[in-house]
Amino acid sequence: MNLRNVTTVWHKELRDQLRDRRTLFMVLVLPLVMYPLMGMSLLQFAQFLKSHEPTVLVVGSEQLNGVEGLPPLVDGDRFATALAGRGKRAKMQLERIPMPTEGSPNSAGKDRLRLARAELIAGELDAVVIFPEGFAEKLKDLQRELALIGEGVAANEIPDPPKPIVQFNSSRDGSRLTYFEVDRLLSAWRSQIVGRNLAASQVPAEAIDPFKLEANDVAPPAAKAAGVWPKLLPFAAFLWALTGAFYPAVDLCAGEKERGTLETLLVSPATRGEIVWGKLLTVITFSLLTGLLNLLVVSAVGGMVSDQLAGMGPAGAASPIGKPPLASLAWLVVALPPVAALFSALSLACAAFARSTKEGQYYFMPVFLGVLPLILLPLSPGVELNLGNALAPVMGLMLLLRSLMEGDVLEAVRYAVPVTAVTFGCCLLAIRWAVSQFNQESVLFRGEEKLDLRLWLMSLVKRREQTPTVGMAVACIAAILLVQFVLINTVLSRLPPPGSGFGWFSLSAFLSQMAVLLPPLVLAAVLLRDRRRTFKINALPNWRIVAAAAGLAVLLNPMATLLSNGIQKLYPLAEGVEGQLALVQADLASAPSPILVFALLALLPAVVEELAFRGFVLTGLQKSGSNRWAVVLSAIAFGVAHTVLQQSLTAMLVGLLIGCLAVVTRSLYPCIAFHLTHNGLPVFAACFGGEVGGLIEKLGLGGLILRAPDGGFLGYHPVVTVAGVVLAAGVWRWIARQSAPSSERPATDEQPTPPPLASRLAAPETSEG
């Protein structure tokens, strides 16, 4: 790579982008205008909350004046100051009216009560507190009976205490918040009454309040000073880094297609890779500028707002949000470059695929929705930094930053290596994807098309393809997920829950597999001509390769068990999921025959899922030009189709291996054999584990299978696991040689060996057979 060409393209693209008013507005003007406006709005809202006082109608409070020794509840048009707490004041405007009695004629009090309900609904009144008729008499009787406890009056003879009524409108936030405050004040008033009643009965108050909590906050000073900023600043910086990367990328790729300047750049001495790196550096520059500028403006505005809020509160009170610490900003500046590189490469690849600027802007929403959960999950209170979360892209980096910004450096250092490795690995993959997009003429020079939906559907049916395209494969994945979602939320949700017996469980499992099978079958029947090639069943199976694939699954079972146990340690099952799995095992134990269990959990998924994912989906994705990406994407889709997270991660890893097997053998039969054996071994162990274990003990091989001391996971001896992987590598090499086309097989030892396996995985399938 010629760095001079890269820097030339970089400088050229920077000059072009600096002439674009839209880019300058997004990067420079918008943060400088938006955040000060948001800060001013926050201050005005805080002043509004401070100045706004809820209105509460109090009915029948005059009855309380006749109760001797009762603590004050209202003081004029306010609740009593003693109820609000030390140094506080009940911020409510009270309107007091007498309680209308049953025998009185239609008075102004009754009319006011009827009007109060309408005012609550309209939002003109926030709450109504009603002391029913006879409230004072009941309260006196209660106090009198409490005083006689121990003098012939039993505790069970005490009358029920009177109950005031609070009316509010839960559909309005102001009324709901007023209800919570009124409830707090009435609870404080009730506590004062209880204290006086206990004193009258000569019972110490400690009898009902035997201890008090003493709060002891051990949070480090840095974490206390950080406040909300460890969550807010990374969220804002990462979100703006994505926004700052996407719009320049769209203009650099799709925009140049529209202007007709991309061809001029492609005929320059710079190679495609150098052009991509020059454009990528430009996008990274704008992404960093956007993220850093927004970070600085947010911090400055946040500091000013913090000072203003502190000045609006009581003297000596701290701001509710605090100022952003300088150390937090320093950690964010260090973390922004790799994040900007990741988002820039993703944006550049999407923009290169777009036909026009308008189409490129449409791609922002899918990218944004894909990244948003990874940015939002670290904001949840229960999500902490651990090894499992550290391996999640973007999410692990945000959690690492939060730990560093809160001053927990030792905790962050423990997971710095996996977070850094995952982040840079994702950056490299995204950059490779962007380079591959620029190396495809069909992507760079796609013309803008006007879609007539009716004509397009008619052409799909009339001019049917031989095998599925990439778009059909993606549509098949979407259809499978949609049918699964509808099935789970309609039919399966109405079936009896797990634990209802094997019959109901088998029906649920069968319907779930049909949800996977129906979309590819329907699409193949309607849109395709060569369905045998679509599902990779166009040739008779080579039974030696099929048997070798089954043996491969047996040899790799110890490693698969180790990976599955490791995933469950990284991401432990929730208590609810463990309970559901226990009920499922009880259903399976009630099966009339182990053959039915094997057919339901091993045979049916092996056939159905392989037809869908290694058949239709993988065949379509191979049209993209790269078998590697086709295998990876089909494995991801295979994992997402499983509902449990731990099962999805395991399925992705297994899907990668089965996808490679499908590409190498160009047949679905070995994939079905591998899948059947992989699923069948746990079923066999569950049904005949006792007999097999006894046989192993008799042979003196009990040490080959052990139970891990820390988690109770059943696993194999490390020697068995390593030996299985080594033997599996030899079996795989034999499968690859036997599956090579006859023209590539060596006739004698002196002839050249077939192309390496990596080259066959990289190249798309071209054989028509």
Side-chain angles (χ1 to χ4, degrees), residues 297-584:
V297 177
V298 167
S299 303
V301 173
M304 291 186 289
V305 170
S306 174
D307 293 336
Q308 292 292 330
L309 292 177
M312 293 167 56
S319 170
I321 59 174
K323 291 184 179 180
L326 293 178
S328 301
L329 303 179
W331 286 119
L332 275 172
V333 171
V334 174
L336 263 180
V339 173
L342 173 60
F343 291 160
S344 299
L346 288 174
S347 303
L348 197 65
C350 293
F353 188 76
R355 297 181 176 90
S356 62
T357 303
K358 184 177 180 180
E359 181 182 342
Q361 292 173 351
Y362 290 154
Y363 293 155
F364 175 74
M365 188 53 64
V367 175
F368 177 76
L369 293 178
V371 174
L372 188 61
L374 299 174
I375 300 178
L376 285 178
L377 281 176
L379 303 182
S380 303
V383 180
E384 300 292 341
L385 181 62
N386 52 45
L387 184 57
N389 293 333
L391 297 178
V394 181
M395 177 180 170
L397 184 57
M398 283 198 65
L399 292 173
L400 182 69
L401 282 173
R402 192 175 80 180
S403 297
L404 291 172
M405 294 166 69
E406 291 176 349
D408 196 356
V409 180
L410 294 179
E411 182 71 14
V413 169
R414 292 176 55 193
Y415 303 105
V417 173
V419 169
T420 305
V422 169
T423 302
F424 280 98
C426 291
C427 288
L428 292 177
L429 289 176
I431 292 171
R432 289 197 61 180
W433 183 34
V435 173
S436 67
Q437 291 286 75
F438 268 82
N439 285 328
Q440 299 181 45
E441 302 288 339
S442 59
V443 172
L444 288 183
F445 299 108
R446 294 196 309 157
E448 188 172 4
E449 61 182 15
K450 295 182 179 180
L451 177 64
D452 188 318
L453 184 60
R454 184 179 63 87
L455 295 178
W456 178 66
L457 291 175
M458 291 177 59
S459 65
L460 282 179
V461 177
K462 291 183 177 180
R463 300 178 181 179
R464 294 185 294 176
E465 298 280 346
Q466 288 282 347
T467 56
T469 61
V470 176
M472 293 179 188
V474 174
C476 182
I477 296 173
I480 290 174
L481 298 180
L482 179 61
V483 173
Q484 282 186 326
F485 178 80
V486 173
L487 181 70
I488 291 174
N489 290 277
T490 54
V491 179
L492 296 184
S493 62
R494 298 180 181 179
L495 292 179
S500 303
F502 179 75
W504 291 109
F505 172 78
S506 60
L507 177 60
S508 174
F510 177 79
L511 292 177
S512 300
Q513 291 299 319
M514 291 303 101
V516 176
L517 182 62
L518 285 179
L521 290 183
V522 172
L523 290 175
V526 175
L527 303 178
L528 303 175
R529 288 183 290 173
D530 195 341
R531 302 177 187 91
R532 294 175 62 86
R533 282 184 56 207
T534 295
F535 294 106
K536 300 185 187 302
I537 55 174
N538 51 310
L540 294 176
N542 186 329
W543 294 112
R544 293 190 302 168
I545 295 179
V546 171
L552 190 67
V554 174
L555 294 173
L556 291 178
N557 182 257
M559 177 56 68
T561 304
L562 180 64
L563 291 175
S564 178
N565 294 342
I567 290 173
Q568 289 193 36
K569 289 181 181 179
L570 284 177
Y571 306 100
L573 292 171
E575 293 183 3
V577 176
E578 288 185 346
Q580 294 287 327
L581 292 179
L583 294 176
V584 168

Side-chain angles (χ1 to χ4, degrees), residues 90-264:
K91 300 177 181 179
M92 293 184 191
Q93 184 73 29
L94 302 185
E95 178 187 353
R96 301 170 62 184
I97 64 172
M99 180 66 195
T101 59
E102 290 292 336
S104 63
N106 292 333
S107 61
K110 290 185 177 181
D111 296 336
R112 184 68 187 92
L113 272 179
R114 284 193 294 267
L115 183 61
R117 181 178 179 85
E119 291 179 353
L120 275 176
I121 296 175
E124 300 173 2
L125 193 65
D126 294 297
V128 178
V129 180
I130 302 175
F131 293 95
E133 184 179 358
F135 181 87
E137 287 73 12
K138 292 182 180 180
L139 198 57
K140 290 179 183 178
D141 294 340
L142 178 64
Q143 290 178 333
R144 189 180 306 111
E145 296 294 335
L146 287 174
L148 296 176
I149 290 181
E151 299 181 8
V153 177
N156 57 2
E157 298 176 2
I158 302 300
D160 293 333
K163 299 178 182 178
I165 302 170
V166 182
Q167 296 179 350
F168 69 103
N169 184 0
S170 62
S171 64
R172 293 186 175 272
D173 292 337
S175 180
R176 188 169 61 251
L177 294 175
T178 303
Y179 165 73
F180 293 144
E181 181 65 14
V182 168
D183 181 70
R184 186 183 70 85
L185 294 173
L186 291 178
S187 298
W189 183 59
R190 181 180 57 196
S191 298
Q192 292 182 1
I193 295 175
V194 169
R196 296 195 178 190
N197 290 340
L198 291 174
S201 303
Q202 297 182 352
V203 177
E206 289 76 8
I208 63 170
D209 190 13
F211 63 88
K212 294 183 181 294
L213 295 179
E214 181 179 350
N216 186 9
D217 189 0
V218 298
K224 294 180 182 179
V228 300
W229 298 111
K231 293 183 179 180
L232 180 60
L233 288 180
F235 175 79
F238 286 13
L239 200 61
W240 277 105
L242 174 61
T243 306
F246 200 88
Y247 288 100
V250 170
D251 186 69
L252 288 176
C253 297
E256 284 205 307
K257 291 181 183 180
E258 290 182 335
R259 295 188 295 268
T261 57
L262 184 61
E263 291 82 354
T264 305

Side-chain angles (χ1 to χ4, degrees), residues 281-293:
L281 288 176
T282 305
V283 179
I284 291 175
T285 301
F286 281 96
S287 178
L288 280 174
L289 286 176
T290 306
L292 289 174
L293 185 58

Side-chain angles (χ1 to χ4, degrees), residues 723-745:
V725 172
V726 173
L727 293 175
V731 174
W732 180 268
R733 183 174 179 83
W734 181 86
I735 291 175
R737 287 185 175 181
Q738 293 297 315
S739 302
S742 57
S743 58
E744 296 180 359
R745 295 183 188 175

Side-chain angles (χ1 to χ4, degrees), residues 536 545 552 614 618 622 627 631 656-668 670-671 731-741 744-745 755-763 765 767:
K536 300 185 187 302
I545 295 179
L552 190 67
R614 256 65 62 179
L618 181 59
Q622 285 181 276
N627 282 338
V631 169
L656 288 173
L657 182 59
I658 302 179
C660 293
L661 189 63
V663 171
V664 170
T665 62
R666 298 179 298 279
S667 174
L668 198 69
C671 304
V731 174
W732 180 268
R733 183 174 179 83
W734 181 86
I735 291 175
R737 287 185 175 181
Q738 293 297 315
S739 302
E744 296 180 359
R745 295 183 188 175
L757 177 61
S759 64
R760 275 185 281 157
L761 284 177
E765 183 179 358
S767 174

Side-chain angles (χ1 to χ4, degrees), residues 623-687:
K623 295 284 187 69
S624 65
S626 173
N627 282 338
R628 284 198 184 101
W629 284 110
V631 169
V632 171
L633 294 178
S634 63
I636 293 175
F638 178 58
V640 172
H642 294 73
T643 54
V644 181
L645 172 63
Q646 294 79 5
Q647 190 181 13
S648 296
L649 296 176
T650 305
M652 287 183 189
L653 298 176
V654 175
L656 288 173
L657 182 59
I658 302 179
C660 293
L661 189 63
V663 171
V664 170
T665 62
R666 298 179 298 279
S667 174
L668 198 69
Y669 299 110
C671 304
I672 294 176
F674 185 98
H675 198 154
L676 176 65
T677 308
H678 176 78
N679 285 7
L681 287 174
V683 175
F684 180 81
C687 295

